C-alpha cells in the first residue's frame, strides 16, 4: 500500500469506528486502539500535506480558532414550534390540522392523518448544509433569519458526518439539536470545580456555551452530540418526513430511534405518556415531544404562520414537583473553599427517584426564597439533574419559625467566611489549613492532566492526611517508605509504585506543574500560555499586572488571582520546597528555543494547503512566537499565511482590507530570525 492509500484506508477505518461508536452506540474497537489510529493518521497527514482532505476525521480534534463568528443568512428561516401543555391543546391541534386539510368528519376513518412523534431534545438547534455529500456549513439558529457560522466547532462533533455515504441528495440542509449528555455535563462541572469556576447550570446552557467557544479543540474535548430531525431542500429523496429521516440514517446521520409514526391522536397520547416517565432513564435531557404531520404535500397545504409551521407542535412536559419537609440545612466546603448550602429533606419520591437533598446554591437564593428549617418546600426536577427548591408552602409555616441565618464561619475549620462583592458564593479563605481544601488541592495536583501520579488516589490521600503525613503538595515529596509501611493496605509493592510515581512526576514539564499547583482560575490552557510567555516561575512571581494582561487568555480575574496566590508567604514556601525537590519550574531548552516574541501583536489567518508544515503546525508556530490565529479575515488581520488552492473569496477580501499576503517560506524565514 502506498502512502496515499494508507491515509485513505485509515480515514475510512476511523470513520467507520466513529460511526459505530457515536451514531450506532456500538463500539467496534477499544478507545486505545481508536486513539492509535487517529495518531497514525495525524502523523501521516502532517508528513504529507499534499493529501489534505477537508472531510478527514483528523479535523475532529479541532485546532481552528474563530475569534468572531461570521453571521450568515439562513436559506430557509429557522422557525420555532408553537407549544402545547395539555391533551386538550393537542386535540385542538389535531382538529386544526384536519380542517386545514379539508378532511370532514365522515371521511375521518378513511383518511387518517399520519403524525410523527419525536423526542424534543433540550439543546441548541443547528442547521447543516451538505454539498455533494460534504458538510460545508453549520449555522446556529440566531434570530431565525440569520445565525452564526460555527462550522469549525461542529466538525468536532463525532456523530455529525463530514462525508455522507450511499445515495445522498446533492444539496440539502438538515437540522437537529446539539446537546450534552448527562455524563459529559457532570465531567465538565467537576473540572470547573477543580479550578474554582462556578458550575454550569444545566446541560443546555453548557451545550450552547460550548458551541460559542473560540478554540475548536476545546469544543472537541467536550464531546457534544447531535440528533438530526428535519431535512429541507429543493430536491429531497422522498415525499414524507419519516422516510426522509430513514434515508438520512442510511447516509450516516444520527437519527433518534425513539420516533414513531402515529395514525390517531390517541396513539400520540400513548407516546407522550410513555416518555413522560421513561425520559428519566435517557442519558440526556428532553423537555417534551414534537408532533409533526408526516406527509410533505399535507405540510405544504397547511403552511406556516409568521413564527412556526402549522403542521407541527411541541408538547412540553410539566416539570415534576413534590412537596416535602425541610429538615435542616447543611453546608459543604468544596475543594476551592466554596461553600454550598444543601437542603436535607424528608425523603420524597420525584420523577422516578427518591429525593433526600437539594442544592440551595448560595445565600441569595436562601434569602430570595425565604426558606427556613421546618418549612414545607416544593421541589422540582426540570432541566437540571439535581432537584431544586422552587418555593415554600407558606400555609404550612409554623408561627415560631425564624429566617435562616447564613453561616459566618467554615463548618470544617472554623475560619471566617468571605464573600466578594461580585460573587454569589461564600468562600473559606483558610485555603492552606482547611481539610477539604487541602485534600482537594492534593487530589488536583496528582490528577492525570496535572502531575499524573496515579498511584496516589483519593483514598490514599485521605489516609496520608489522617496520619498527619501530608498537609500540602510539597509534603508528597518528603514521603518515606518507613512512614508508609505501617499504614493499612500498604504493601512493599504499592509503596514502591507510589514512590516511583512521585519520582517520575519530577519530569512533568513546567506548564503542567503550573496547572497542578492550583492557582484559582488557571486552567490547563491558560497555564500553557503563561508558561510559554513567562518561561520561569521566578519571572511569574515578579510579573506585574500589566505584563500578565499581555498574555493571551489572561484577563483581570486571572491576573489578580495569580498575584494573590504569590502574595501568600506559605505558597511561596511550598513552591521553593518543590523547586528544591527538582520539579520543573521553567520551560525546557527545547521549548524555549522554539518560542519567541517576534510575532507579538500580529494577527494571522491561515488558508490553503502548505508543503512544509500542516496547518496545525503553522498555527502552533504562530502561537509559540507570540502571534494570534484567527479563523476569518477581518479589519484586525495583519497577515494572510497563504498556501496553495486558497479560495478566491478570501484573496479578494484580504486585498480589499489591505492584509499582507505571506508565503510559507517567507513566514518560516521570518520566525527563524
Ligand atoms: S422540528 C420547523 N424536532 O425545539 C420545525 N425541533 O421549540 C423545526 N427541537 O427550535 C423544529 N427537538 O431547537 C424539531 N425533534 C425535534 C426537536 C426540535 C428539539 C427544538 C428545536 C426548535 C425548538 C422549538
Amino acid at each position: 500500500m502506498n502512502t496515499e492509500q494508507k491515509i485513505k484506508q485509515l480515514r475510512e477505518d476511523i470513520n467507520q469506528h466513529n460511526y459505530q461508536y457515536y451514531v450506532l452506540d456500538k463500539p467496534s474497537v477499544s478507545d486505545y486502539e481508536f486513539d492509535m489510529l487517529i495518531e497514525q493518521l495525524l502523523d501521516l497527514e502532517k508528513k504529507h500535506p499534499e493529501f489534505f482532505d477537508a472531510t478527514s476525521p483528523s479535523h475532529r480534534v479541532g485546532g481552528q480558532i474563530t475569534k468572531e463568528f461570521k453571521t450568515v443568512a439562513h436559506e430557509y428561516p429557522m422557525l420555532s414550534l408553537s407549544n402545547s401543555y395539555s391533551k386538550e391543546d393537542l386535540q385542538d391541534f389535531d382538529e386544526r390540522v384536519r380542517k386545514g386539510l379539508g378532511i370532514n368528519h365522515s371521511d375521518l376513518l378513511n383518511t387518517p392523518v399520519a403524525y410523527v412523534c419525536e423526542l424534543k431534545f433540550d439543546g441548541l438547534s443547528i442547521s447543516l448544509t451538505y454539498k455533494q455529500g460534504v458538510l460545508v456549513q453549520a449555522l446556529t439558529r440566531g434570530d431565525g433569519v440569520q445565525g452564526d457560522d460555527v462550522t469549525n466547532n461542529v466538525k468536532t462533533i463525532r456523530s455529525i458526518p463530514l462525508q455522507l455515504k450511499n445515495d445522498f441528495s446533492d444539496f440539502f440542509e438538515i437540522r437537529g439539536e446539539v446537546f450534552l449528555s448527562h455524563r459529559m455535563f457532570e465531567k465538565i462541572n467537576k473540572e470547573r470545580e477543580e479550578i474554582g469556576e462556578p458550575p454550569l447550570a444545566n446541560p443546555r446552557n453548557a451545550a450552547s456555551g460550548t458551541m460559542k467557544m473560540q478554540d475548536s479543540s476545546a469544543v472537541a474535548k467536550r464531546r457534544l452530540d447531535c440528533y438530526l430531525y428535519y431535512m429541507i431542500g429543493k430536491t429531497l429523496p422522498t415525499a414524507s418526513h419519516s422516510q426522509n429521516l430513514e434515508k438520512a440514517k442510511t447516509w450516516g446521520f444520527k437519527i433518534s430511534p425513539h420516533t414513531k409514526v402515529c395514525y390517531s391522536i390517541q396513539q400520540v397520547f400513548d407516546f407522550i405518556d410513555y416518555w413522560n416517565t421513561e425520559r428519566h432513564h435517557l442519558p440526556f435531557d428532553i423537555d417534551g415531544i414534537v408532533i409533526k404531520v408526516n406527509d410533505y404535500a399535507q405540510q405544504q397545504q397547511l403552511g406556516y404562520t409568521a413564527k412556526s409551521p402549522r403542521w407541527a407542535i411541541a408538547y412540553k412536559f410539566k416539570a415534576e414537583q413534590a412537596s416535602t419537609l425541610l429538615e435542616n440545612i447543611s453546608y459543604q466546603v468544596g475543594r476551592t473553599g466554596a461553600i454550598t448550602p444543601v437542603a436535607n429533606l424528608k425523603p420524597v419520591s420525584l420523577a422516578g427517584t427518591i429525593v433526600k437533598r437539594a442544592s440551595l446554591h448560595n445565600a441569595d437564593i436562601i434569602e430570595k426564597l425565604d426558606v427556613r428549617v421546618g418549612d414545607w418546600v416544593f421541589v422540582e426536577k426540570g432541566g437540571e439533574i439535581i432537584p431544586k427548591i422552587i418555593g415554600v408552602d407558606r400555609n404550612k409555616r409554623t408561627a415560631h419559625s425564624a429566617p435562616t441565618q447564613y453561616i459566618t464561619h467554615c463548618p470544617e475549620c472554623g475560619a471566617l467566611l468571605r464573600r466578594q462583592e461580585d460573587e454569589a458564593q461564600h468562600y473559606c479563605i483558610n485555603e492552606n489549613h482547611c481539610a477539604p481544601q487541602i485534600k482537594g488541592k492534593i487530589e488536583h495536583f496528582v490528577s492525570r492532566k496535572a502531575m499524573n501520579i496515579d498511584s496516589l488516589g483519593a483514598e490514599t490521600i485521605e489516609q496520608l492526611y489522617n496520619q498527619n503525613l501530608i498537609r500540602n503538595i510539597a509534603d508528597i515529596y518528603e514521603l518515606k517508605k518507613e512512614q508508609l509501611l505501617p499504614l493499612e493496605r500498604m504493601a512493599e509493592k504499592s509503596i514502591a509504585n507510589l514512590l516511583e510515581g512521585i519520582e517520575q512526576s519530577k519530569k512533568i514539564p513546567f506548564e503542567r506543574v503550573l496547572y497542578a499547583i492550583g492557582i484559582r482560575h488557571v486552567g490547563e490552557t491558560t497555564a500553557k500560555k503563561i508558561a510559554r510567555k513567562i518561561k520561569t516561575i521566578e519571572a511569574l512571581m515578579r510579573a506585574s499586572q500589566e505584563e500578565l494582561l499581555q498574555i493571551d487568555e489572561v484577563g483581570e480575574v486571572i491576573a489578580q488571582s495569580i498575584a494573590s496566590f504569590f502574595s501568600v508567604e506559605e505558597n511561596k514556601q511550598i513552591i521553593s520546597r518543590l523547586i528544591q525537590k527538582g520539579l520543573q519550574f521553567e520551560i525546557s531548552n527545547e521549548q524555549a528555543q522554539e518560542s519567541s516574541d517576534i510575532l507579538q501583536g500580529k494577527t494571522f489567518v491561515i488558508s490553503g494547503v502548505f508543503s512544509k508544515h500542516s496547518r496545525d503546525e503553522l498555527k502552533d508556530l504562530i502561537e509559540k512566537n507570540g502571534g494570534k490565529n484567527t479563523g476569518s479575515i477581518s479589519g484586525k488581520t495583519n497577515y494572510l499565511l497563504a498556501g496553495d488552492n486558497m479560495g478566491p473569496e478570501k484573496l479578494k477580501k484580504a486585498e480589499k482590507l489591505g492584509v499582507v499576503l505571506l508565503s510559507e517560506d517567507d513566514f518560516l524565514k521570518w520566525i527563524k530570525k
Side-chain angles (χ1 to χ4, degrees):
M1 228 192 265
N2 64 27
T3 312
E4 189 174 9
Q5 287 164 333
K6 175 89 190 143
I7 290 182
K8 203 165 156 248
Q9 185 67 50
L10 271 169
R11 285 174 181 161
E12 273 171 25
D13 290 352
I14 293 170
N15 279 336
Q16 183 57 29
H17 295 316
N18 238 335
Y19 178 71
Q20 293 268 358
Y21 188 107
Y22 292 98
V23 181
L24 301 183
D25 209 5
K26 286 196 185 110
S28 42
V29 284
S30 71
D31 287 357
Y32 176 76
E33 282 168 289
F34 185 81
D35 289 348
M36 287 300 111
L37 291 176
I38 290 269
E39 242 172 60
Q40 267 185 52
L41 177 62
L42 284 169
D43 189 49
L44 281 178
E45 287 187 349
K46 207 182 210 175
K47 288 187 188 132
H48 297 278
E50 67 273 26
F51 302 130
F52 174 84
D53 181 345
T55 67
S56 168
S58 57
H59 296 287
R60 304 288 198 189
V61 297
Q64 308 280 96
I65 306 279
T66 317
K67 273 281 166 208
E68 251 169 70
F69 296 105
K70 210 169 39 172
T71 310
V72 179
H74 290 293
E75 181 84 30
Y76 304 89
M78 276 182 95
L79 300 177
S80 63
L81 295 170
S82 56
N83 287 327
S84 63
Y85 301 91
S86 67
K87 294 192 172 159
E88 290 71 49
D89 288 350
L90 287 177
Q91 226 132 18
D92 292 349
F93 166 73
D94 184 41
E95 238 167 65
R96 282 199 302 278
V97 166
R98 287 169 182 283
K99 239 188 180 163
L101 295 175
I103 302 173
N104 60 37
H105 259 295
S106 55
D107 287 341
L108 253 180
L109 284 175
N110 303 330
T111 43
V113 179
Y115 291 115
V116 181
C117 288
E118 295 169 8
L119 304 184
K120 187 172 186 305
F121 306 99
D122 199 9
L124 72 143
S125 44
I126 196 86
S127 190
L128 311 174
T129 306
Y130 284 82
K131 228 188 223 172
Q132 260 90 46
V134 175
L135 170 68
V136 290
Q137 180 173 269
L139 300 180
T140 61
R141 180 168 186 275
D143 61 4
V145 177
Q146 49 183 23
D148 284 342
D149 184 331
V150 287
T151 315
N152 288 334
N153 286 351
V154 162
K155 280 185 177 174
T156 69
I157 303 177
R158 295 173 186 228
S159 48
I160 292 183
L162 304 178
Q163 165 73 61
L164 303 182
K165 306 188 279 195
N166 301 328
D167 59 339
F168 50 78
S169 295
D170 270 355
F171 188 75
F172 66 96
E173 267 183 58
I174 189 160
R175 292 180 178 171
E177 201 84 350
V178 171
F179 64 95
L180 262 179
S181 66
H182 294 152
R183 199 173 64 83
M184 279 313 296
F185 173 67
E186 278 158 23
K187 188 163 170 259
I188 292 165
N189 269 349
K190 203 165 150 243
E191 283 169 8
R192 287 177 69 86
E193 198 197 323
E194 272 192 8
I195 58 163
E197 306 279 354
L200 301 170
N202 55 48
R204 177 176 13 94
N205 288 4
S208 24
T210 303
M211 199 39 90
K212 298 203 184 92
M213 286 163 80
Q214 295 177 343
D215 179 353
S216 62
S217 57
V219 180
K221 286 190 191 127
R222 293 214 166 165
R223 293 285 195 270
L224 291 167
D225 205 340
C226 181
Y227 275 119
L228 284 312
Y229 48 60
Y230 180 39
M231 204 191 284
I232 356 171
K234 294 207 171 73
T235 49
L236 297 183
T238 80
S240 79
H241 174 63
S242 62
Q243 282 177 322
N244 278 343
L245 290 189
E246 281 302 319
K247 268 284 174 203
K249 199 189 281 181
T250 66
W251 299 346
F253 289 108
K254 181 159 172 159
I255 308 293
S256 170
H258 308 306
T259 295
K260 187 167 183 240
V261 185
C262 295
Y263 296 94
S264 70
I265 202 71
Q266 184 54 47
Q267 284 181 356
V268 171
F269 293 163
D270 293 345
F271 187 88
I272 289 175
D273 288 342
Y274 176 78
W275 284 106
N276 192 26
T277 49
E278 207 43 41
R279 67 183 156 127
H280 302 299
H281 299 127
L282 288 167
F284 49 81
D285 282 346
I286 63 171
D287 62 340
I289 298 295
V290 179
I291 301 114
K292 301 172 183 171
V293 170
N294 192 23
D295 185 90
Y296 277 180
Q298 291 185 334
Q299 285 189 4
Q300 221 168 11
Q301 204 178 338
L302 290 161
Y304 300 82
T305 70
K307 284 194 213 131
S308 54
R310 289 201 186 87
W311 45 263
I313 195 162
Y315 172 85
K316 301 270 263 196
F317 291 132
K318 284 179 219 57
E320 284 189 52
Q321 283 187 7
S323 130
T324 188
L325 180 71
L326 172 60
E327 290 180 334
N328 63 61
I329 297 174
S330 54
Y331 296 84
Q332 284 178 349
V333 187
R335 307 162 157 223
T336 53
I339 308 289
T340 311
V342 177
N344 297 299
L345 307 165
K346 181 164 178 255
V348 61
S349 160
L350 175 65
T353 49
I354 303 285
V355 175
K356 294 184 197 136
R357 285 145 64 87
S359 169
L360 281 166
H361 303 285
N362 55 52
D364 288 347
I365 303 271
I366 294 181
E367 197 182 316
K368 199 170 118 213
L369 294 169
D370 182 22
V371 339
R372 307 172 182 193
V373 171
D375 273 346
W376 278 77
V377 292
F378 298 109
V379 271
E380 185 179 288
K381 216 167 178 183
E384 290 77 19
I385 297 161
I386 304 164
K388 62 177 178 204
I389 293 183
I390 49 157
V392 170
D393 190 344
R394 294 292 171 103
N395 296 328
K396 287 193 182 169
R397 178 170 280 173
T398 50
H400 54 266
S401 84
T404 300
Q405 295 291 328
Y406 204 79
I407 51 167
T408 49
H409 291 76
C410 175
E412 294 278 346
C413 71
L416 199 65
L417 299 183
R418 185 176 65 192
R419 179 184 178 182
Q420 250 150 9
E421 246 172 53
D422 51 349
E423 285 185 340
Q425 223 75 16
H426 281 72
Y427 279 87
C428 165
I429 52 168
N430 186 19
E431 53 175 315
N432 290 323
H433 300 278
C434 174
Q437 295 193 67
I438 297 174
K439 287 183 267 182
K441 268 187 203 306
I442 299 175
E443 277 174 32
H444 168 73
F445 183 78
V446 301
S447 64
R448 198 169 50 83
K449 289 178 187 162
M451 305 305 280
N452 194 22
I453 311 178
D454 60 359
S455 44
L456 189 49
E459 265 181 45
T460 316
I461 293 174
E462 178 80 33
Q463 216 181 355
L464 297 174
Y465 179 86
N466 290 340
Q467 294 296 322
N468 239 332
L469 290 174
I470 46 175
R471 279 291 177 274
N472 59 51
I473 52 177
D475 292 344
I476 297 175
Y477 294 88
E478 310 280 0
L479 290 171
K480 306 263 172 333
K481 187 177 164 186
E482 308 78 72
Q483 297 173 309
L484 300 169
L485 267 172
L487 301 183
E488 238 177 85
R489 290 191 315 273
M490 281 284 185
E492 288 271 351
K493 179 109 198 327
S494 46
I495 294 175
N497 272 347
L498 175 57
L499 295 176
E500 176 59 19
I502 293 172
E503 198 53 34
Q504 284 300 325
S505 75
K506 294 181 182 170
K507 294 187 194 138
I508 296 284
F510 176 42
E511 55 192 44
R512 278 173 58 188
V513 179
L514 189 54
Y515 168 64
I517 59 176
I519 303 175
R520 203 170 156 210
H521 303 300
V522 175
E524 244 184 307
T525 317
T526 314
K528 220 180 253 176
K529 301 237 153 131
I530 295 173
R532 284 185 185 172
K533 184 80 205 265
I534 305 264
K535 299 191 174 68
T536 71
I537 195 87
E538 282 87 9
L540 181 62
M541 285 160 120
R542 282 196 313 266
S544 66
Q545 293 286 292
E546 290 71 44
E547 267 174 88
L548 292 173
L549 288 170
Q550 299 279 313
I551 308 170
D552 224 13
E553 301 237 351
V554 176
E556 298 275 347
V557 175
I558 297 181
Q560 277 286 325
S561 173
I562 294 172
S564 100
F565 181 87
F566 290 117
S567 71
V568 177
E569 194 50 43
E570 199 165 348
N571 288 339
K572 284 198 271 194
Q573 278 170 17
I574 290 174
I575 302 282
S576 103
R577 283 174 60 200
L578 292 174
I579 294 174
Q580 274 173 15
K581 291 288 171 193
L583 274 70
Q584 306 297 314
F585 277 101
E586 53 184 60
I587 57 170
S588 65
N589 278 342
E590 197 182 307
Q591 278 177 311
Q593 269 166 16
E594 281 174 7
S595 55
S596 78
D597 281 345
I598 198 164
L599 307 180
Q600 178 77 31
K602 307 272 188 282
T603 301
F604 289 77
V605 170
I606 306 181
S607 183
V609 182
F610 300 87
S611 56
K612 299 209 170 80
H613 290 278
S614 71
R615 290 155 67 104
D616 281 345
E617 284 172 337
L618 289 170
K619 254 185 251 156
D620 208 38
L621 283 171
I622 291 173
E623 275 174 16
K624 277 185 178 149
N625 288 286
K628 249 188 194 165
N629 279 299
T630 52
S632 55
I633 299 172
S634 72
K636 291 183 195 141
T637 314
N638 303 104
Y639 296 96
L640 174 61
L641 187 45
D644 291 339
N645 297 337
M646 205 177 64
E649 285 303 311
K650 267 209 172 134
L651 215 54
K652 232 194 266 165
K653 195 164 177 195
E655 272 164 17
K656 201 171 131 207
L657 291 171
V659 174
V660 179
L661 251 62
L662 202 61
S663 72
E664 186 182 20
D665 282 339
D666 286 345
F667 171 73
L668 294 174
K669 268 187 229 152
W670 184 11
I671 58 168
K672 283 233 169 72
K673 271 189 209 157

